[in-house]
Amino acid sequence: MKWLYDNWMKATPFLAFYSFILLFLYVKDVNYPLFLIWMQTVIYWVHEFEEYILPGGFLSFFNRYPLGSKEDEYPLTKVGSFWINIPLVYIALPLSGILAHFFGLKWGLWTAYFSALNAFAHVVMFFIYKFKYNPGVVISALLNIPFGIYMVWYFNSHNLVSTTTNIVSIVVGIIAQASMMIYGFAYLVPKMKKEALSNTDI
């Protein structure tokens, strides 16, 4: 497992590149709305490429700034990062494309809301920390947010989804984003403070 913890992110550029080619060649002209859903996964892999590879450093940034740690890989570790990203980005996002293909487009709309919301958090951090670059903010501003907004607009302007689907999708997107924030601020920060107090007592 250690190899996976250290290297899972290295697959992102290849997955994004080859998936985009396949989607562009075989899905775009056949089912454009489904293409948009699948593109959310592709874009998120590009987003993670910026976070973890080039320039990378998201783990260090998130630990030192939002979480207030003095260490690059604590309290959010490579293991924690793996278990946050794999279920959501490598399983849930692609699964939504599969479900949308077989059971209807409504299964994929949440990906646009989640992607835009997560990207918005990057932009907010950029301003909170006085224009300090955080890995992921460039792709957030250039791809995640505009593409997420475009997909929502396209689905609604073409009456592809209902109001109920929009509401449910927004809620699911918020829950997906909130789960990561809760893990960081409601679990890791208290854990870090508790361990710091324990070390002080010793």
Side-chain angles (χ1 to χ4, degrees):
M1 288 298 292
K2 184 180 184 303
W3 185 88
L4 283 176
Y5 296 148
D6 291 336
N7 296 283
W8 66 267
M9 70 291 293
K10 294 178 182 178
T12 55
F14 304 101
L15 287 170
F17 179 73
Y18 289 112
S19 296
F20 174 74
I21 291 176
L22 291 173
L23 292 171
F24 187 83
L25 291 177
Y26 300 110
V27 181
K28 180 177 177 291
D29 294 332
V30 177
N31 191 333
Y32 184 67
L34 186 63
F35 168 79
L36 296 180
I37 293 172
W38 275 106
M39 279 300 297
Q40 294 297 339
T41 302
V42 173
I43 289 172
Y44 213 93
W45 281 330
V46 177
H47 176 95
E48 290 191 323
F49 176 77
E50 182 190 353
E51 286 184 319
Y52 293 100
I53 300 179
L54 187 66
F58 178 76
L59 208 62
S60 173
F61 172 86
F62 195 72
N63 277 317
R64 289 185 174 273
Y65 288 90
L67 298 186
S69 174
K70 295 181 180 179
E71 301 180 32
D72 289 340
E73 295 187 12
Y74 173 84
L76 181 59
T77 64
K78 290 180 179 179
V79 176
S81 179
F82 175 88
W83 287 110
I84 289 172
N85 284 282
I86 296 302
L88 184 58
V89 182
Y90 283 73
I91 297 177
L93 288 182
L95 181 61
S96 69
I98 295 172
L99 292 174
H101 174 77
F102 288 105
F103 302 106
L105 297 172
K106 62 182 180 181
W107 288 92
L109 184 60
W110 75 272
T111 61
Y113 285 112
F114 163 70
S115 182
L117 184 60
N118 180 269
F120 182 70
H122 278 271
V123 174
V124 169
M125 286 191 291
F126 178 73
F127 289 104
I128 287 178
Y129 297 109
K130 300 177 180 179
F131 308 107
K132 180 175 179 61
Y133 170 79
N134 66 84
V137 69
V138 174
I139 298 301
S140 291
L142 296 181
L143 289 179
N144 291 89
I145 293 175
F147 199 86
I149 292 174
Y150 169 73
M151 179 173 150
V152 171
W153 169 82
Y154 185 90
F155 273 48
N156 285 285
S157 65
H158 289 77
N159 297 314
L160 299 176
V161 290
S162 65
T163 300
T164 300
T165 296
N166 270 284
I167 294 173
V168 172
S169 298
I170 291 171
V171 171
V172 173
I174 291 174
I175 290 173
Q177 175 64 17
S179 65
M180 296 190 292
M181 305 304 290
I182 290 172
Y183 177 72
F185 296 104
Y187 174 71
L188 291 180
V189 171
K191 177 186 176 183
M192 178 177 63
K193 291 180 178 178
K194 183 179 179 180
E195 291 178 354
L197 287 174
S198 299
N199 293 333
T200 302
D201 292 338
I202 293 174

